[in-house]
C-alpha cells in the first residue's frame, strides 16, 4: 500500500506551478478545471485501500494535466489587446458623466473578456463591468456613466481585463495603464440651465421670480419680449413695429455691489441630504448665485472656514471670478471640528471693509452655535448687510408631521413633541436675528438655490445695499 504522505506530496507538487502562474503571470484556474480535478481526487480515495487503481488514477491525472497545459497556451499575451479611454476631465457632483472605453483585439482568435475600469468607488460607474466576446481583429466600444457622490480630484489609472481560455479552464488577469485625471466640481450644469432660461425669459421654470425694481435705473442693458407685469413706458415702439411683437427695454443697476459668502465647513455641515452633504448643497447654491451676480455686474467673494480659515477669495467682478470660486470649492470637504465663527468674522472685518452683502450658510443644532451666529451676524448690521442662510433638517419636520396608522403610539408622540420644541427654538433664533437687522433664509438644503437667488434679486430691487 502506498504511504499516505506520498499523496500529499503529489498534491503540493501540483500546487507549486499554480502558485508560480498566479504570482508571475496572474493566471488562475477556473471552476471548470477545479471540478474536473475532483474526479481523480475521488478515485484517489480508493487507493487508500487498494493499489490496483493506481495506474487508472495516474492516467486520469496525466490526461487532465495535458488538457490543462494545452488550454493554458490558448490564453492571450499582453500585446494581444490595447485599451483606451475617452472622458471629459471636468464633471459635476451628482450629475451623470459619459465615459467611453476602447478595447482592441489584435490576434486571430476570439476571446471571452470581462472588463472593469479602475474607478474610485465615489464615482459610482454604471454599469460597473462588461462581459463580452471580442472578435478577432476587431475593436469594441463600451460606454458607461459616472455619477460622483463627492467633489475633488480623482485619477483613473488602469483598466482591468479578465480573459477566459478557449476551453474555459484558465483565467488571466491583465492590467493596462490608461491615466485619466478627473476633477469633480460643484454642480455647474445649473449655470448653463440658468443661461438658457434667461435667454428664453423662462426663469420661473427653475423657481426664479421676476422682481420689480423700486425706483428706476437709466443704464440700458438689452431688449426683450414684453411680459404681463412690465411698465408700458418701457415699450420700445420702433423695435415692436419691426419685430411685430411687443418689445421692452431692460435697464441694469448703474453701480457694482459686493457679495461675500461665508461657508461653514465644520461638523454641522456633514449631514447628507439626497446623497450630498450640506456643504455640497451650499457650494451649489453659492456658485449659482455667484454666476447670477457676476452676470449683473456685481463682485463676488468667498470665505470658507471651520476651526481655521481655509480659503479667502476677495470680491471681484467678471466671469473669470467663477473659475477662482470653482477651484476654491471643488476640493473643500466638511471636517468633524467645531467651527470658529469668531475667527471667521474677525478675518472678514480685516479683509472686507467696503459695504457688502455677507451671506453666511450654516446649520444650527445647539444653543452655543446659535448664540455665536446671532452675535457675529448681528454685529455686521449697519456696516454690511448680513444674510443668514440656515439649513433645515428633514428629520425634524418629518417627525413633526408623522401620522401613525390608527392610534398614535407613545414613541411617535414623544418624537413629535421633541421636534416641535426644537423647531420653536429655531424660529425664536430666526426672530432674534431679524430683530438685529439680519436677513434670514430658512430653507431645506436641496431647495436652497432658487430662494437664495430670489432673495438677492429682491435686495437688488429694493436697493438695500
Amino acid at each position: 500500500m502506498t504511504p499516505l504522505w506520498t499523496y500529499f506530496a503529489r498534491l503540493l507538487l501540483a500546487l507549486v506551478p499554480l502558485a508560480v502562474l498566479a504570482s508571475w503571470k496572474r493566471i488562475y484556474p477556473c471552476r471548470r478545471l477545479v471540478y474536473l480535478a475532483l474526479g481523480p481526487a475521488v478515485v484517489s480515495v480508493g487507493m487508500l485501500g487498494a493499489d490496483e487503481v493506481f495506474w487508472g488514477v495516474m492516467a486520469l491525472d496525466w490526461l487532465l494535466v495535458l488538457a490543462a497545459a494545452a488550454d493554458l497556451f490558448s490564453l492571450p499575451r499582453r500585446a494581444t489587446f490595447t485599451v483606451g479611454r475617452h472622458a471629459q476631465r471636468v464633471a459635476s457632483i451628482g450629475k451623470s458623466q459619459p465615459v467611453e472605453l476602447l478595447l482592441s483585439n489584435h490576434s486571430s482568435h476570439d476571446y471571452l473578456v470581462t472588463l472593469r475600469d479602475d474607478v474610485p468607488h465615489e464615482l459610482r460607474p454604471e454599469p460597473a463591468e462588461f462581459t463580452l466576446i471580442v472578435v478577432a481583429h476587431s475593436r469594441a466600444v463600451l460606454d458607461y456613466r459616472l455619477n460622483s457622490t463627492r467633489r475633488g480630484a480623482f485619477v483613473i489609472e488602469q483598466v482591468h481585463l479578465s480573459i477566459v481560455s478557449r476551453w474555459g479552464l484558465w483565467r488571466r488577469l491583465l492590467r493596462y495603464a490608461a491615466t485619466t485625471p478627473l476633477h469633480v466640481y460643484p454642480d455647474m450644469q445649473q449655470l448653463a440651465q440658468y443661461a438658457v432660461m434667461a435667454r428664453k425669459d423662462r426663469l420661473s421654470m427653475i423657481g426664479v421670480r421676476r422682481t420689480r425694481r423700486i425706483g428706476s435705473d437709466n443704464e440700458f442693458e438689452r431688449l426683450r419680449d414684453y411680459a404681463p407685469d412690465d411698465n408700458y413706458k418701457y415699450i420700445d415702439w420702433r423695435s415692436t413695429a419691426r419685430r411685430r411683437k411687443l418689445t421692452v427695454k431692460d435697464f441694469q443697476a448703474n453701480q457694482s455691489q459686493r457679495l461675500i459668502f461665508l461657508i461653514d465647513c465644520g461638523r454641522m455641515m456633514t449631514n447628507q441630504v439626497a446623497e450630498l452633504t450640506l456643504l455640497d448643497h451650499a457650494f451649489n447654491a453659492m456658485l449659482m448665485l455667484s454666476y447670477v451676480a457676476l452676470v449683473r455686474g456685481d463682485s463676488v467673494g468667498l470665505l470658507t472656514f471651520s476651526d481655521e480659515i481655509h480659503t479667502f477669495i476677495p470680491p471681484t467682478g467678471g466671469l473669470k471670478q467663477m473659475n477662482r470660486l470653482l477651484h476654491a470649492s471643488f476640493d473643500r470637504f466638511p471636517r468633524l471640528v467645531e467651527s470658529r465663527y469668531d475667527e471667521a468674522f474677525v478675518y472678514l472685518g480685516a479683509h472686507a471693509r467696503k459695504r457688502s452683502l455677507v451671506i453666511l450658510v450654516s446649520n444650527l443644532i445647539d444653543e452655543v452655535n446659535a448664540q455665536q451666529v446671532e452675535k457675529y451676524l448681528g454685529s455686521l448690521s449697519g456696516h454690511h448687510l448680513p444674510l443668514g442662510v440656515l439649513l433645515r433638517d428633514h428629520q425634524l419636520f418629518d417627525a413633526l408631521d408623522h401620522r401613525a396608522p390608527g392610534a398614535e403610539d407613545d414613541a411617535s408622540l414623544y418624537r413629535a413633541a421633541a421636534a416641535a420644541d426644537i423647531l420653536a427654538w429655531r424660529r425664536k433664533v430666526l426672530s432674534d436675528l431679524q430683530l438685529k437687522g439680519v436677513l434670514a433664509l430658512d430653507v431645506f438644503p436641496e431647495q436652497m438655490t432658487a430662494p437664495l437667488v430670489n432673495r438677492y434679486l429682491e435686495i437688488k430691487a429694493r436697493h438695500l445695499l
Side-chain angles (χ1 to χ4, degrees), residues 30-45:
C30 292
R31 292 183 179 180
R32 183 176 298 179
L33 180 59
V34 175
Y35 294 152
L36 291 176
L38 290 178
V42 172
V43 178
S44 299
V45 176

Side-chain angles (χ1 to χ4, degrees), residues 71-86:
D71 194 40
L72 180 64
F73 286 101
S74 68
L75 286 173
R77 297 176 301 170
R78 182 179 181 81
T80 301
F81 298 99
T82 55
V83 179
R85 183 191 303 108
H86 293 159

Side-chain angles (χ1 to χ4, degrees), residues 196-203 210 222 224-227:
V196 172
M197 293 300 179
R199 285 196 297 268
K200 296 182 178 180
D201 201 21
R202 296 180 180 176
L203 290 177
R210 180 184 299 276
R222 61 170 182 164
R224 60 171 176 82
D225 293 340
Y226 173 82

Side-chain angles (χ1 to χ4, degrees), residues 264-295:
D264 183 2
C265 300
R267 64 181 179 88
M268 294 182 293
M269 303 293 283
T270 57
N271 290 346
Q272 289 196 347
V273 176
E275 298 187 347
L276 299 179
T277 64
L278 299 185
L279 186 60
D280 291 324
H281 290 292
F283 281 141
N284 289 341
M286 179 271 295
L287 290 174
M288 183 65 173
L289 180 53
S290 298
Y291 178 79
V292 175
L294 291 171
V295 167

Side-chain angles (χ1 to χ4, degrees), residues 163-304:
I163 305 101
V164 179
S165 60
R166 187 174 305 171
W167 294 341
L169 303 181
W170 301 96
R171 181 183 299 274
R172 184 173 189 183
L173 303 182
L174 295 174
R175 290 179 294 192
Y176 291 87
T179 303
T180 301
L182 180 65
H183 288 183
V184 180
Y185 290 93
D187 188 5
M188 297 181 297
Q189 295 185 15
Q190 60 178 343
L191 307 183
Q193 182 185 13
Y194 177 87
V196 172
M197 293 300 179
R199 285 196 297 268
K200 296 182 178 180
D201 201 21
R202 296 180 180 176
L203 290 177
S204 60
M205 296 180 64
I206 57 175
V208 178
R209 299 191 303 266
R210 180 184 299 276
T211 304
R212 181 175 296 279
R213 294 183 178 90
I214 298 176
S216 61
D217 299 313
N218 53 11
E219 188 174 344
F220 175 76
E221 181 180 9
R222 61 170 182 164
L223 294 172
R224 60 171 176 82
D225 293 340
Y226 173 82
D229 59 347
D230 285 327
N231 196 321
Y232 292 117
K233 71 178 183 179
Y234 294 137
I235 295 178
D236 189 318
W237 296 106
R238 183 172 297 178
S239 299
T240 297
R242 185 173 63 252
R243 298 177 67 225
R244 296 185 178 181
K245 183 186 294 185
L246 283 175
T247 305
V248 297
K249 296 178 180 178
D250 252 356
F251 299 91
Q252 63 180 357
N254 52 21
Q255 59 179 351
S256 175
Q257 298 167 340
R258 284 166 294 279
L259 287 76
I260 301 179
F261 288 91
L262 269 69
I263 307 294
D264 183 2
C265 300
R267 64 181 179 88
M268 294 182 293
M269 303 293 283
T270 57
N271 290 346
Q272 289 196 347
V273 176
E275 298 187 347
L276 299 179
T277 64
L278 299 185
L279 186 60
D280 291 324
H281 290 292
F283 281 141
N284 289 341
M286 179 271 295
L287 290 174
M288 183 65 173
L289 180 53
S290 298
Y291 178 79
V292 175
L294 291 171
V295 167
R296 291 173 175 266
D298 289 341
S299 301
V300 180
L302 172 66
L303 190 152
T304 61

